[in-house]
Amino acid sequence: MYLILSTFPTLCTDVCHEFTGIGGLNYILLGLGAFVDAYLCDDLNDRPFQRRKARNHDESKPEYRVFAIGNMITLQIMQTYIGDTYTKYAASAIAAV
C-alpha cells in the first residue's frame, strides 16, 4: 500500500503530465477502489467462512477463511504493477519485491 501511495503523485505529474491539483483528484479513485474492494472482499471472504462454520457445528477456525485466493490475487496485481513501473528492470524489481 505504501508503494502505491508514495509513487502515485510521481506517476500523475511526471508520466501522465498532469498538474499537481488535477493529479491529486486521482486519490478519489483510489479511495473509491478501496471502498468497493472492501465491500466485495468482505462478501467473498465471509460467505465460505459462514458455510464452513455452519457445517462444523458453529465452530470457528482460521483455516475456514479463503486465504490462498486473496494472497494470490494480491501478489499477481503487485507483480504486474512493479513490472509496468520498472519496465527495463522488471525482472530485477519483481525479484527484489
Side-chain angles (χ1 to χ4, degrees), residues 12-90:
C12 296
T13 56
D14 294 348
V15 177
C16 299
H17 306 293
E18 296 177 348
F19 295 112
T20 306
I22 299 297
L25 293 175
N26 291 314
Y27 281 104
I28 294 172
L29 295 176
L30 285 177
L32 182 63
F35 179 75
V36 170
D37 181 54
Y39 177 75
L40 291 176
C41 284
D42 181 49
D43 195 38
L44 290 173
N45 194 17
D46 202 41
R47 281 186 192 175
F49 175 76
Q50 293 299 332
R51 282 195 304 264
R52 289 182 187 108
K53 186 177 169 184
R55 278 189 289 185
N56 291 295
H57 311 291
D58 284 338
E59 181 183 357
S60 175
K61 291 184 180 179
E63 293 84 19
Y64 295 161
R65 297 280 179 194
V66 189
F67 175 75
I69 293 172
N71 194 18
M72 291 308 296
I73 289 171
T74 302
L75 287 174
Q76 286 178 347
I77 291 171
M78 182 182 69
Q79 287 179 344
T80 305
Y81 177 80
I82 294 296
D84 289 343
T85 304
Y86 304 102
T87 54
K88 187 175 180 181
Y89 305 104

